[in-house]
Amino acid sequence: MVDDLATGRIGPDDVVARLRRLPFADLGDALVDHHRTLRQGLPEAVYGPGKTPEQCARIVGEMLDHGTGPVLLTRTSDDQRKAVVAVHGPGLTAGGAVLYRAPGTTRPSAVLVVTAGTADGPVADECLLTLRAHGFEPDRLDDVGVAGLHRLLANVDRVTAADAVVVVAGMEGALASVVGGLTGAPVVAVPSSVGYGASLEGVTALLAMHASCAAGVTVVGIDNGYGAACAVARMLP
Amino acid sequence: MVDDLATGRIGPDDVVARLRRLPFADLGDALVDHHRTLRQGLPEAVYGPGKTPEQCARIVGEMLDHGTGPVLLTRTSDDQRKAVVAVHGPGLTAGGAVLYRAPGTTRPSAVLVVTAGTADGPVADECLLTLRAHGFEPDRLDDVGVAGLHRLLANVDRVTAADAVVVVAGMEGALASVVGGLTGAPVVAVPSSVGYGASLEGVTALLAMHASCAAGVTVVGIDNGYGAACAVARMLP
Amino acid sequence: MVDDLATGRIGPDDVVARLRRLPFADLGDALVDHHRTLRQGLPEAVYGPGKTPEQCARIVGEMLDHGTGPVLLTRTSDDQRKAVVAVHGPGLTAGGAVLYRAPGTTRPSAVLVVTAGTADGPVADECLLTLRAHGFEPDRLDDVGVAGLHRLLANVDRVTAADAVVVVAGMEGALASVVGGLTGAPVVAVPSSVGYGASLEGVTALLAMHASCAAGVTVVGIDNGYGAACAVARMLP
Amino acid sequence: MVDDLATGRIGPDDVVARLRRLPFADLGDALVDHHRTLRQGLPEAVYGPGKTPEQCARIVGEMLDHGTGPVLLTRTSDDQRKAVVAVHGPGLTAGGAVLYRAPGTTRPSAVLVVTAGTADGPVADECLLTLRAHGFEPDRLDDVGVAGLHRLLANVDRVTAADAVVVVAGMEGALASVVGGLTGAPVVAVPSSVGYGASLEGVTALLAMHASCAAGVTVVGIDNGYGAACAVARMLP
Amino acid sequence: MVDDLATGRIGPDDVVARLRRLPFADLGDALVDHHRTLRQGLPEAVYGPGKTPEQCARIVGEMLDHGTGPVLLTRTSDDQRKAVVAVHGPGLTAGGAVLYRAPGTTRPSAVLVVTAGTADGPVADECLLTLRAHGFEPDRLDDVGVAGLHRLLANVDRVTAADAVVVVAGMEGALASVVGGLTGAPVVAVPSSVGYGASLEGVTALLAMHASCAAGVTVVGIDNGYGAACAVARMLP
Amino acid sequence: MVDDLATGRIGPDDVVARLRRLPFADLGDALVDHHRTLRQGLPEAVYGPGKTPEQCARIVGEMLDHGTGPVLLTRTSDDQRKAVVAVHGPGLTAGGAVLYRAPGTTRPSAVLVVTAGTADGPVADECLLTLRAHGFEPDRLDDVGVAGLHRLLANVDRVTAADAVVVVAGMEGALASVVGGLTGAPVVAVPSSVGYGASLEGVTALLAMHASCAAGVTVVGIDNGYGAACAVARMLP
Amino acid sequence: MVDDLATGRIGPDDVVARLRRLPFADLGDALVDHHRTLRQGLPEAVYGPGKTPEQCARIVGEMLDHGTGPVLLTRTSDDQRKAVVAVHGPGLTAGGAVLYRAPGTTRPSAVLVVTAGTADGPVADECLLTLRAHGFEPDRLDDVGVAGLHRLLANVDRVTAADAVVVVAGMEGALASVVGGLTGAPVVAVPSSVGYGASLEGVTALLAMHASCAAGVTVVGIDNGYGAACAVARMLP
Amino acid sequence: MVDDLATGRIGPDDVVARLRRLPFADLGDALVDHHRTLRQGLPEAVYGPGKTPEQCARIVGEMLDHGTGPVLLTRTSDDQRKAVVAVHGPGLTAGGAVLYRAPGTTRPSAVLVVTAGTADGPVADECLLTLRAHGFEPDRLDDVGVAGLHRLLANVDRVTAADAVVVVAGMEGALASVVGGLTGAPVVAVPSSVGYGASLEGVTALLAMHASCAAGVTVVGIDNGYGAACAVARMLP
């Protein structure tokens, strides 16, 4: 297309054809993008931090009113969740996130979320709820950190059966490398901020996962269970 | 399976059923794993750094002799490439990698590799050659960094048509966020060490890509075009 | 001048001619510089942290008594604001800052403050109030992060119409690069501490903005909306 | 405009009105943007690193052939400069950059480039040449680091007479704060990688300049004299 | 001496002659060293953090009972100070430290403590109290940060008259370089954790002070007013 | 064994012979590994952070019910300890850890735990309790930091008499180097997060201990008294 | 002993009893400690960097002349090795180290050195040679990184049979955690600088090994194969 | 003075009385300050890096011609030294520095420079030559790192006899803490970039020296032997 444009054979209007189909509403302090679901295949999502409880409730309300798909509010404080629940009802809550209008299982792929330790649970919770918001019915395998390798090996069939594996691990993050070597399916690694001292609040796990010797493992941000689920939603039917 | 094992209903032999099918050869200082292709869907790959030119040539030879699939040698020095080529012929060379027995196009998916600037070229080269080693016929779009947004927008059709997009970008790495917002397909970001000063040899781009506001973008290591291609190979048919 | 001085043709008194016109008062623990407005074109400003509420109120009082221009107290705690308001009245409050004797609109330039997300709001608030203290009537555009590029593009006229643009963005800070490519006017980037994990409390955005591929974008400190406004006040009539 | 678009009163074509006027040529591996000068008020510039000498010569040639304005090649190696000069003649060379078709003095503003020490010279050279490419006739003041304050004070008239000051300083970067306090004009600080040990190759100066107690000083990347000049070109007539 | 020992001419007893004169008492969890005053010329000092209020009171008591010189407790919490004061009386309190048996002015040297801003006050307070514990009668100059150079220059006589200058400065720490250039006397720089964002809690100031272009300025740890005073006590009569 | 497997002389079943003897129980969210004591010679241990008080009590209960050895819960909050104590009784408590079924002294080796200062106490406490859980009767030497070398030298006999020495030190961590030079026995260094400013919450001590000039000193994670004790348990009878 | 000294019952001479037995020679610029072998159980070792080839040869010569035990020169450049070999003969060379007067196998313990990849070889070489200098006959297992877990598992008997295991691994360093979970013997982890990008020249592996979830694994410095061997020599007979 | 000025009793001319006595010459690209010796008590010094050999020779020449005191050129490359020596003769050379017109011993104080290892020699050399340039006759003690404590203790008399001690140490920098505890005289610590891996090119030693538990030790920049000597020159007669 670039050649045609440069030589003048087509007009720039074609360039913007796709951009043009993107209406949105203006709530004053937050542009709500109703067609995002169509554009990216994602449910509507709101990031909680920095918003007042009232803002959270209002934005969730606008999304529920003008759309018909799932609405997900992430990284909420207790006050934010209370304000939203008071107006819109309980929804599904896990890992600090709240989900309204959870879809039924509409996607066929098998997704497995694996954690290295019990303390990685909240990040996995956020990931699982986000996967549900995308229509997956994810599976879960907890507490299989590499220092007790037999626990992972006893579950190796579940790992190899999955169409994608999300690995949540703090400390040294070694689990991602090991899982990456056990399966040829996509592996999305989530460094968690679990641990203390040299764990550097997740930075060590993030670096270690990037230095992984298992080819083709990809990484999302620290504690970003939401992002890992969105990555899976991009990859799988 | 874990329940059954714990209650004693099945024996631990089933646990290791998958592990048992993995023969390998011992070259003395490098275990060569001939079944890796089957296990992970990857071609045989050798990482050059730390090996003598002679070691490189010998290991590539062993892989060519005992297997039948593609053999990829990455991150080579000039001396390593010379030693390998002297023994095994030229192969395909790009981005410091050498590929022998490149497969014909055996995978149907459309993969697009995008770079922010000309200087990201070698990393993209390594990525493209690795994609070819996996049987893809990848497309390429260069020099569309976000400071000149119109260049990317003029090619937005190519971006949205791809089944997966690899984004190679150094400096601030912003291109990954923008591309992530333009497509719902998987986006694999490769921070490159292009740039100077505050680029911190790729660390700034790596951090920025992880902090990306585009949900579901995943990241591989700095300059790791090989890893990005392997990640795509895990995701797509 | 240096040559003349070295050769003895002029005396050193000329060297200090400018310095000599700068009287100031001594409050005991804080020198208040009444001629700063003239010297630098800035309103009187007080930095809150490390001062007791009583100190804040006293210093603001001194400034109000002995000068006639705007007085701005920044980065206040609730207690500091209460103490100041109790003595001097409410003033204008935004982003943790309090402004007394806000000037009417006395500067003709059009300044636009752009944020990537709702959470960047408080930093933008501080910037806007400081711009008002300098006599600007700034405009504001919120929530146009690069992952939803159409939101920014729909407002591209407002961006290109401004005489200067302040970009407040956390996470990966990519918005500064994109805006820098859309306008030839001065762009002042403010990295915000919005985000978690790999955002490193604003350091990632700061580094990314410095590594920006958009030539001529300048950067101020993390969350420093005040500094960005002062930079604009140096640049524009 | 966003309201009108949301309510459907105007079409999205208006949104892209500005983008549409931006033709460009495709050189295969580097999109050359001929209208950049008009769009951003900048000369054509090429970033040398990562390009072969031949690529440098070819891209400079394309720019000279199809445009009429100044062409600036920055951060060149000796080999790159030789290849370009062999084809296009000597041009003006300073600080590793080469300038062709330098404009006469076409801008009236007075710009002063100040260095802390002799070793900051190459960064200042790049800045001065870039300023000339933009049509300024910049002034220069060297070796006035703050440890010998009298040297700066003897030149205070030159500092206060400038319409903008670029401060190049490595080590602790303190000169930017001091200059920022002496003038109300825009001050653009360039941290240089001069120094050793705790200078951390310019990171210390970059951080220090951001933490500057002089309000309204802005900062560009380490050793980025080119960027500082572009920033000034955005600010001044 | 080492030669004599190696050749056997003297016995190792001479080696330990100095060590042998150092009696001390065992309080169970903290060895109190009563002869430290003699050995190093320092008053008895206790570091508060990590000790219970009761431990603080007990250790201070032991020191007061068995010695006759000044006793200084530093970095105390409110609870620690309360516990100590309840048992031993108020003492002199400043900057989180408590001093008992403050000596009269027993040292003739003129020491000046300079701060860049009001917020550096508590660190200066700790330094001044520690200097008093050593028998100095220190002078103080506040709020002379380099962005308002005239404030420092107006007091240049006080700076040059001092036998040693302690400079407390956060943010970019530039004041140490400037003062180092104004006097030939010892300058001890104390980076303070004042500031936010790029100040990195004092690390920026620490690095900047080390990269100082003023030869012979020395640095102590972040916020370590106590250490700076001890350094001065080593230097001056 | 690898040669035999490669040549086909033995079957892969032998490979997994050891793994097969490892039964475990599934508590739902935490796999409890009852044979760990046998496998690694360690008592059962639970890491508190990230678990609710109820989870802590339940897991400790399961361990007490199904095993017979010591059970150690580490890094507990007050609430976690209360919940556990309410169900299972007081146990032994130190350094935030709780120990049930402490064994009598069953190991003959002499272990010495040395601290640089009183503030390192809690880390030493955790280490000592963990050593007791392993059946050692450890000795303790406090407050012998290297700035008062005579205190350590007066106890040099205790250092050289130990079969292993654990050194807990924050700040600059120099004590590990000195102790490493005084004894030929194993020295395990624990960097503690004691100190402020340049101590960087233990990172400085960790780096310094790794850069130690005393050959053969090994290091565990910051504040990881538990890990140091486990390391000793691996080394000594 | 400290109590006795405090109460005056014994004299300080006993304190220094051990120190006194330590004669040494003065070579002018390097004190050579001939009794170190006895004191710490270590062979004589010289650290190459920063010494001229002539200094290396001279110091090795002095050690050979005045002692009778093994002499080990580490981290040599080619020039240093040449100079030493020219004077003292070839010795045993591996991993940049040279060993003279290698002892026969005088220690009974079984030590295993494991590497994650071929590139970790030189660090393992240095470790193995140093172990030989201490009288061990170490075993070696190469290229068993965790991404191909079956390679390690096929050799699990060798791991569990060792009295101590040294694990050399770069990149993410996960191998140390896995090995630590497979054996109850001492595990000494050596982070290697193998890898690029996010490996940060070994810092990532060092941090990851410290954050290891395998209790009781200890760590030495980056690439410090010599230190790991010395640590083992402290632990085992 | 500040009070008098504020109230108008004195004029600002007095403020600049001291500044006025500072003539200097303009060499074009380097202001040479001939009265610096008087102002700060320092010899003339030139910092080599970033200057061409010709610039070095010219600036040294100017200093020799117009002054009468010592002239010191530091951190030279071989080419710089050659160019200077060709013009001005050999001078005294050590640690990369060249000294002309070395004064006889004109200062009475005893200064001791201590190194931890042989590799710290060049930094000590630069320090010793700079001390000589200031008229001291310094003493030197090498290779007394803390891992072999007896070597330092055998020389404790030399340490305690000095009027000031400069401690040069890389790796963990512990020697500064130990020396700081042995003497009450000023101790100036110089972190050196000796070591590898976790030494982080001197940053670890710098941080460790700042976190030192020895009160009153001060620190200069990494490898800055010149700065340490200048610091001593400020302190001692």
Short mmCIF file of all heavy atoms in Angstrom, two decimals, chain C residues 149-188:
data_model
loop_
_atom_site.label_atom_id
_atom_site.label_comp_id
_atom_site.label_asym_id
_atom_site.label_seq_id
_atom_site.Cartn_x
_atom_site.Cartn_y
_atom_site.Cartn_z
N LEU C 149 -4.84 4.56 19.68
CA LEU C 149 -4.29 5.68 18.93
C LEU C 149 -5.36 6.61 18.36
O LEU C 149 -5.17 7.82 18.25
CB LEU C 149 -3.44 5.12 17.79
CG LEU C 149 -2.28 5.95 17.33
CD1 LEU C 149 -1.37 6.28 18.48
CD2 LEU C 149 -1.48 5.15 16.30
N HIS C 150 -6.53 6.02 18.01
CA HIS C 150 -7.59 6.81 17.40
C HIS C 150 -8.05 7.94 18.33
O HIS C 150 -8.49 8.98 17.88
CB HIS C 150 -8.76 5.90 17.07
CG HIS C 150 -9.27 5.19 18.27
ND1 HIS C 150 -8.58 4.18 18.89
CD2 HIS C 150 -10.40 5.37 18.99
CE1 HIS C 150 -9.26 3.75 19.93
NE2 HIS C 150 -10.36 4.46 20.01
N ARG C 151 -7.95 7.73 19.64
CA ARG C 151 -8.38 8.78 20.57
C ARG C 151 -7.49 10.02 20.44
O ARG C 151 -7.94 11.14 20.51
CB ARG C 151 -8.35 8.25 22.01
CG ARG C 151 -9.34 7.13 22.21
CD ARG C 151 -9.30 6.60 23.63
NE ARG C 151 -7.96 6.07 23.94
CZ ARG C 151 -7.65 5.43 25.04
NH1 ARG C 151 -8.58 5.23 25.98
NH2 ARG C 151 -6.45 4.96 25.26
N LEU C 152 -6.19 9.79 20.27
CA LEU C 152 -5.29 10.92 20.07
C LEU C 152 -5.51 11.52 18.69
O LEU C 152 -5.59 12.75 18.53
CB LEU C 152 -3.84 10.46 20.22
CG LEU C 152 -2.78 11.54 19.95
CD1 LEU C 152 -2.91 12.67 20.96
CD2 LEU C 152 -1.38 10.94 20.02
N LEU C 153 -5.64 10.68 17.69
CA LEU C 153 -5.77 11.19 16.32
C LEU C 153 -7.03 12.02 16.15
O LEU C 153 -7.05 12.99 15.39
CB LEU C 153 -5.73 10.02 15.34
CG LEU C 153 -4.38 9.28 15.30
CD1 LEU C 153 -4.44 8.11 14.33
CD2 LEU C 153 -3.24 10.22 14.95
N ALA C 154 -8.08 11.64 16.87
CA ALA C 154 -9.32 12.42 16.78
C ALA C 154 -9.15 13.82 17.33
O ALA C 154 -9.96 14.71 17.09
CB ALA C 154 -10.44 11.68 17.53
N ASN C 155 -8.08 14.02 18.10
CA ASN C 155 -7.82 15.32 18.71
C ASN C 155 -6.56 15.97 18.17
O ASN C 155 -6.01 16.87 18.79
CB ASN C 155 -7.70 15.16 20.23
CG ASN C 155 -9.02 14.81 20.87
OD1 ASN C 155 -9.86 15.69 21.09
ND2 ASN C 155 -9.24 13.51 21.14
N VAL C 156 -6.13 15.51 17.01
CA VAL C 156 -4.85 15.96 16.51
C VAL C 156 -4.86 17.47 16.22
O VAL C 156 -3.82 18.14 16.35
CB VAL C 156 -4.44 15.13 15.27
CG1 VAL C 156 -5.22 15.56 14.05
CG2 VAL C 156 -2.95 15.18 15.03
N ASP C 157 -6.01 18.03 15.93
CA ASP C 157 -6.09 19.47 15.70
C ASP C 157 -5.76 20.27 16.95
O ASP C 157 -5.10 21.31 16.88
CB ASP C 157 -7.49 19.86 15.23
CG ASP C 157 -7.72 19.45 13.78
OD1 ASP C 157 -6.75 19.03 13.11
OD2 ASP C 157 -8.87 19.53 13.34
N ARG C 158 -6.25 19.78 18.08
CA ARG C 158 -5.93 20.48 19.33
C ARG C 158 -4.43 20.40 19.61
O ARG C 158 -3.85 21.36 20.13
CB ARG C 158 -6.71 19.88 20.49
CG ARG C 158 -8.21 20.11 20.36
CD ARG C 158 -9.00 19.35 21.41
NE ARG C 158 -8.73 19.82 22.75
CZ ARG C 158 -9.16 19.20 23.85
NH1 ARG C 158 -9.85 18.07 23.73
NH2 ARG C 158 -8.90 19.69 25.04
N VAL C 159 -3.82 19.28 19.30
CA VAL C 159 -2.38 19.14 19.53
C VAL C 159 -1.60 20.10 18.64
O VAL C 159 -0.71 20.83 19.10
CB VAL C 159 -1.92 17.69 19.28
CG1 VAL C 159 -0.40 17.58 19.31
CG2 VAL C 159 -2.55 16.76 20.30
N THR C 160 -1.94 20.14 17.37
CA THR C 160 -1.15 20.95 16.44
C THR C 160 -1.45 22.45 16.59
O THR C 160 -0.65 23.27 16.15
CB THR C 160 -1.40 20.51 14.99
OG1 THR C 160 -2.79 20.59 14.71
CG2 THR C 160 -0.91 19.10 14.76
N ALA C 161 -2.57 22.77 17.21
CA ALA C 161 -2.90 24.18 17.40
C ALA C 161 -2.17 24.82 18.58
O ALA C 161 -2.11 26.05 18.69
CB ALA C 161 -4.42 24.33 17.57
N ALA C 162 -1.62 24.00 19.47
CA ALA C 162 -1.03 24.54 20.70
C ALA C 162 0.35 25.15 20.43
O ALA C 162 1.09 24.67 19.57
CB ALA C 162 -0.91 23.43 21.74
N ASP C 163 0.68 26.19 21.19
CA ASP C 163 2.02 26.79 21.12
C ASP C 163 3.05 25.97 21.88
O ASP C 163 4.26 26.11 21.67
CB ASP C 163 1.97 28.22 21.67
CG ASP C 163 1.10 29.12 20.80
OD1 ASP C 163 1.23 29.06 19.56
OD2 ASP C 163 0.27 29.85 21.37
N ALA C 164 2.57 25.16 22.81
CA ALA C 164 3.44 24.21 23.52
C ALA C 164 2.54 23.12 24.08
O ALA C 164 1.38 23.37 24.42
CB ALA C 164 4.21 24.89 24.66
N VAL C 165 3.09 21.90 24.18
CA VAL C 165 2.33 20.78 24.70
C VAL C 165 3.10 20.15 25.86
O VAL C 165 4.30 19.86 25.73
CB VAL C 165 2.08 19.71 23.60
CG1 VAL C 165 1.20 18.59 24.14
CG2 VAL C 165 1.47 20.32 22.36
N VAL C 166 2.41 19.97 26.98
CA VAL C 166 2.97 19.21 28.09
C VAL C 166 2.34 17.82 28.05
O VAL C 166 1.11 17.70 28.01
CB VAL C 166 2.66 19.88 29.45
CG1 VAL C 166 3.15 19.00 30.60
CG2 VAL C 166 3.30 21.26 29.52
N VAL C 167 3.17 16.78 28.02
CA VAL C 167 2.67 15.42 27.96
C VAL C 167 2.96 14.72 29.28
O VAL C 167 4.13 14.55 29.64
CB VAL C 167 3.33 14.64 26.81
CG1 VAL C 167 2.84 13.19 26.79
CG2 VAL C 167 3.06 15.30 25.47
N VAL C 168 1.91 14.33 30.00
CA VAL C 168 2.07 13.60 31.25
C VAL C 168 1.75 12.13 30.99
O VAL C 168 0.63 11.80 30.57
CB VAL C 168 1.13 14.14 32.34
CG1 VAL C 168 1.41 13.42 33.67
CG2 VAL C 168 1.30 15.64 32.50
N ALA C 169 2.71 11.25 31.20
CA ALA C 169 2.48 9.84 30.93
C ALA C 169 3.36 8.98 31.82
O ALA C 169 4.53 9.26 32.01
CB ALA C 169 2.77 9.52 29.46
N GLY C 170 2.76 7.92 32.37
CA GLY C 170 3.53 6.96 33.17
C GLY C 170 3.81 5.75 32.33
O GLY C 170 4.00 5.84 31.13
N MET C 171 3.81 4.60 32.96
CA MET C 171 4.06 3.32 32.27
C MET C 171 5.22 3.47 31.29
O MET C 171 6.32 3.76 31.71
CB MET C 171 2.78 2.87 31.57
CG MET C 171 1.66 2.60 32.58
SD MET C 171 0.11 2.17 31.80
CE MET C 171 -0.85 1.68 33.22
N GLU C 172 5.00 3.30 30.00
CA GLU C 172 6.12 3.33 29.07
C GLU C 172 6.35 4.71 28.47
O GLU C 172 7.31 4.91 27.73
CB GLU C 172 5.94 2.28 27.96
CG GLU C 172 5.21 2.76 26.74
CD GLU C 172 3.71 2.81 26.93
OE1 GLU C 172 3.26 3.41 27.93
OE2 GLU C 172 3.01 2.26 26.07
N GLY C 173 5.50 5.66 28.77
CA GLY C 173 5.76 7.04 28.36
C GLY C 173 5.77 7.28 26.87
O GLY C 173 6.27 8.31 26.39
N ALA C 174 5.19 6.38 26.09
CA ALA C 174 5.28 6.47 24.63
C ALA C 174 4.55 7.69 24.07
O ALA C 174 4.87 8.15 22.97
CB ALA C 174 4.71 5.20 24.00
N LEU C 175 3.61 8.21 24.81
CA LEU C 175 2.81 9.32 24.29
C LEU C 175 3.68 10.52 23.91
O LEU C 175 3.39 11.24 22.96
CB LEU C 175 1.76 9.72 25.33
CG LEU C 175 0.72 10.75 24.89
CD1 LEU C 175 -0.04 10.27 23.66
CD2 LEU C 175 -0.25 11.03 26.03
N ALA C 176 4.76 10.74 24.66
CA ALA C 176 5.62 11.88 24.36
C ALA C 176 6.24 11.77 22.98
O ALA C 176 6.32 12.76 22.23
CB ALA C 176 6.71 12.00 25.43
N SER C 177 6.68 10.59 22.60
CA SER C 177 7.26 10.40 21.28
C SER C 177 6.23 10.66 20.19
O SER C 177 6.52 11.32 19.18
CB SER C 177 7.80 8.97 21.13
OG SER C 177 8.89 8.75 21.98
N VAL C 178 5.04 10.14 20.37
CA VAL C 178 4.00 10.28 19.35
C VAL C 178 3.61 11.75 19.20
O VAL C 178 3.54 12.28 18.08
CB VAL C 178 2.79 9.40 19.69
CG1 VAL C 178 1.64 9.68 18.74
CG2 VAL C 178 3.19 7.93 19.65
N VAL C 179 3.39 12.43 20.31
CA VAL C 179 3.02 13.85 20.25
C VAL C 179 4.17 14.66 19.63
O VAL C 179 3.94 15.56 18.83
CB VAL C 179 2.66 14.39 21.65
CG1 VAL C 179 2.54 15.90 21.64
CG2 VAL C 179 1.34 13.77 22.11
N GLY C 180 5.40 14.30 20.01
CA GLY C 180 6.56 14.99 19.45
C GLY C 180 6.62 14.90 17.93
O GLY C 180 7.14 15.80 17.26
N GLY C 181 6.10 13.80 17.39
CA GLY C 181 6.09 13.64 15.95
C GLY C 181 4.92 14.35 15.26
O GLY C 181 4.93 14.55 14.05
N LEU C 182 3.93 14.73 16.04
CA LEU C 182 2.74 15.36 15.44
C LEU C 182 2.82 16.88 15.38
O LEU C 182 2.07 17.51 14.64
CB LEU C 182 1.48 14.96 16.24
CG LEU C 182 1.05 13.50 16.13
CD1 LEU C 182 -0.13 13.24 17.05
CD2 LEU C 182 0.67 13.15 14.69
N THR C 183 3.70 17.46 16.18
CA THR C 183 3.77 18.92 16.23
C THR C 183 5.21 19.41 16.19
O THR C 183 6.12 18.69 16.66
CB THR C 183 3.09 19.48 17.51
OG1 THR C 183 3.24 20.91 17.50
CG2 THR C 183 3.75 18.92 18.76
N GLY C 184 5.43 20.59 15.65
CA GLY C 184 6.74 21.20 15.66
C GLY C 184 6.93 22.16 16.82
O GLY C 184 7.99 22.75 16.98
N ALA C 185 5.90 22.32 17.64
CA ALA C 185 5.98 23.20 18.81
C ALA C 185 6.75 22.51 19.93
O ALA C 185 6.97 21.30 19.88
CB ALA C 185 4.57 23.56 19.26
N PRO C 186 7.15 23.27 20.96
CA PRO C 186 7.85 22.65 22.09
C PRO C 186 6.97 21.60 22.77
O PRO C 186 5.78 21.83 22.99
CB PRO C 186 8.12 23.82 23.04
CG PRO C 186 8.01 25.05 22.20
CD PRO C 186 7.05 24.73 21.11
N VAL C 187 7.57 20.44 23.09
CA VAL C 187 6.90 19.38 23.82
C VAL C 187 7.70 19.12 25.09
O VAL C 187 8.88 18.78 25.02
CB VAL C 187 6.80 18.10 22.98
CG1 VAL C 187 6.21 16.96 23.80
CG2 VAL C 187 5.98 18.34 21.73
N VAL C 188 7.05 19.30 26.24
CA VAL C 188 7.69 19.02 27.53
C VAL C 188 7.06 17.76 28.09
O VAL C 188 5.86 17.71 28.35
CB VAL C 188 7.50 20.20 28.51
CG1 VAL C 188 8.17 19.86 29.85
CG2 VAL C 188 8.10 21.47 27.93
#
